[in-house]
Each structure stands twice: as C-alpha cells, then as structure tokens.
Amino acid sequence: MKLDIMTLLVMNLIVNAVSAWAMAVIWRENRRQYPGIGYWLANMLLQTAGLALILMRGRLPDMLCVLFANLMMQSGAVLLLAGLTRFTEAPWRQGRNIALLAVFTLAMAYYLYAAPDMQARQIIVSASIILITGQAAWLLLRGVAPKFLAVTNLTGYVLVGFVATSLARLVFIVTKPAGTQDFFNSGMADALAITLYTTLNACLAICLVLAVNRRLLADVGALKDKLEILATHDALTGLPNRPLFYDRLAVALAGARRQGVQLAVMSVDLD
C-alpha cells in the first residue's frame, strides 16, 4: 500500500489545527495561573501555519514553502520548550536555541539555493527536531522538581517519541537516500515518519491538557492542606490551636471509653 504524502500532511495539518483550538480553550481558562500555556498555543499555531505553507509548494515561492515554513515549525518547537520551562518553573537557557535557529536557517537556505539538495534539508530538519525536542524530553523527565514528575512524565515520553522518530528518519535518509528532489514523492520512509509525527502531535496535545489538569489537581490538594493547617494551627506561632485540641481530645475520649481506661488532661498556662 502506497501512502500519499500530500494526504498525510493534510491529516497532520488537521490534527495540529484541532490541537491548537483545544489549547486555546485551555489557555483562555488558565493563562493567568500558568503563563507557559501561551507558548504551547503559539507552537501549535506555528506548526499548523508551517504545514499549510508546505502544502502550498508549487503555488508559492520556495522561500515561503520550504525555508520559512520549516523555520516556523522549528521556532514552534523552541516555544514549546520555553513554555514547558515556565510551566514547570525550571531554569533553562534559551540562548543556544536561538543560535540553533540561526544555524538552521542558514543551512536550509544553503541547501535550497546554493546547492539544492532535499536529502540534506531533511537531515537538517531531523537533526533540529532531535536537538530541540531532546532538550524538552530531558527537562520533563530529569530536569524538573520531583513534585512535577507526575505531572510531566507522559509529555516527556511523547517527546522521546519525537526524538526516536527523527533519529530513525535520519538514519534511513543517510543509508537509503530517496534519489528524488520532490518531497511529495520521496518514498515510504517519509510517509511513515509523517504518520508517526501526526500520531505524536495528537498525543502531545492530549498529554499537555492532562498536564494542566494534573497541575490543577496538585495545586488544589496543596491549597487544601494549607487551609487545613491554617484552620488547626495558630497563625503567629504555628502551634496547634483550640479547635485542634478539642478534636484530638474527642478522639482520645472515644478511645478511652472503648478500652475502659481513664484519661487525664493537664493544662499549663504560660503568660
């Protein structure tokens, strides 16, 4: 069975567009509490726009459909990483990724105009995905505080999937070049890679939504614990207050009655 790359790209475009819509809803509800979500939304919008430009190749100049489209998609991946660092409150330097985008643009321009080579451009794109999503996967699985691991681990595994897919594609391009400069007829390897990318994009959107929900539940649980402490302890000294004393006394009295023993309470008044 032959997989049509144009059709697969359209499917990827639809998945990214739906994901962007879902992320826009999440962003609208939680943008003040979790500022990193806006970066995730920007990533999905850039991915969608980049795919739309790629599909317009032949109707628009190559600068838009190849160079600018791929730059938009790689920039979106950098924004995804930036959003994850904000969401997890993790320190992460983005200067190297700005430099990476500059090198990416120059290399893509060289193999588009100076020495046209589609396989070289595919290698550059795959390597860039590995470098950027690899950082994001490492951040979520190893670089976040322990309290965030349960929130971010699923997203981290999906990003590992992006790295693995890009690495496999990179190896295949190097060992078995397609022998054509027409991306839409580049063969089964690219078709399978696009299929995997589409699936991973859908999984990524789901995992990001789950991460927000898990973070909300964790924050609600922490707030509940904090309110419970405030209700049972003195705000100034942090010592147990009278309501907590009465609660513990009631428990002790009930236990004494069940066991048929006596209970004594000693009070010390300190002025």
Side-chain angles (χ1 to χ4, degrees):
M1 180 182 67
K2 183 178 180 180
L3 299 177
D4 180 59
I5 289 181
M6 182 74 76
T7 302
L8 293 174
L9 287 174
V10 171
M11 292 175 58
N12 200 356
L13 174 67
I14 293 172
V15 167
N16 275 281
V18 172
S19 299
W21 172 80
M23 192 54 59
V25 175
I26 298 296
W27 171 78
R28 185 180 62 184
E29 297 295 329
N30 301 279
R31 62 183 182 274
R32 291 188 177 89
Q33 190 169 3
Y34 306 126
I37 300 176
Y39 289 84
W40 303 350
L41 174 59
N43 163 58
M44 293 176 180
L45 292 174
L46 286 172
Q47 299 293 333
T48 304
L51 285 168
L53 285 175
I54 291 174
L55 287 168
M56 293 299 292
R57 190 172 186 187
R59 302 179 182 87
L60 295 175
D62 284 349
M63 176 175 287
L64 290 176
C65 299
V66 178
L67 183 60
F68 192 58
N70 281 285
L71 178 60
M72 290 174 67
M73 297 175 75
Q74 299 306 313
S75 298
V78 171
L79 288 176
L80 173 65
L81 174 58
L84 291 171
T85 60
R86 287 175 174 260
F87 182 76
T88 58
E89 302 170 4
W92 201 268
R93 295 181 180 179
Q94 293 293 341
R96 56 192 170 191
N97 290 318
I98 303 301
L100 175 61
L101 289 177
V103 173
F104 174 85
T105 304
L106 292 174
M108 288 290 288
Y110 178 81
Y111 286 109
L112 179 62
Y113 296 112
D117 189 334
M118 186 190 72
Q119 278 74 39
R121 295 196 301 270
Q122 289 177 317
I123 291 172
I124 294 168
V125 170
S126 297
S128 180
I129 294 173
I130 291 171
L131 291 174
I132 297 172
T133 57
Q135 292 179 65
W138 177 266
L139 169 71
L140 298 184
L141 297 176
R142 291 289 184 270
V144 299
K147 66 177 182 178
F148 286 115
L149 284 177
V151 175
T152 62
N153 56 0
L154 289 178
T155 307
Y157 296 139
V158 172
L159 292 171
V160 169
F162 276 99
V163 174
T165 300
S166 300
L167 184 59
R169 185 190 184 201
L170 184 61
V171 171
F172 198 90
I173 293 170
V174 172
T175 57
K176 296 183 178 181
T180 178
Q181 295 298 312
D182 183 4
F183 174 68
F184 296 114
N185 293 293
S186 55
M188 184 63 69
D190 278 333
L192 290 175
I194 295 170
T195 302
L196 288 173
Y197 284 140
T198 302
T199 304
L200 289 168
N201 280 329
C203 293
L204 178 62
I206 294 171
C207 288
L208 289 174
V209 172
L210 288 175
V212 174
N213 289 336
R214 287 181 173 184
R215 179 79 185 272
L216 285 170
L217 290 174
D219 289 349
V220 169
L223 180 61
K224 180 181 177 181
D225 293 340
K226 183 177 180 180
L227 291 175
E228 183 177 348
I229 292 174
L230 289 175
T232 57
H233 291 73
D234 182 76
L236 181 62
T237 63
L239 296 174
N241 59 14
R242 185 173 297 179
L244 182 60
F245 167 74
Y246 287 145
D247 177 74
R248 297 296 186 267
L249 179 61
V251 173
L253 288 172
R257 292 192 189 100
R258 286 195 305 270
Q259 298 174 17
V261 298
Q262 293 183 338
L263 176 69
V265 176
M266 183 175 66
S267 175
V268 179
D269 186 12
L270 299 176
D271 292 328

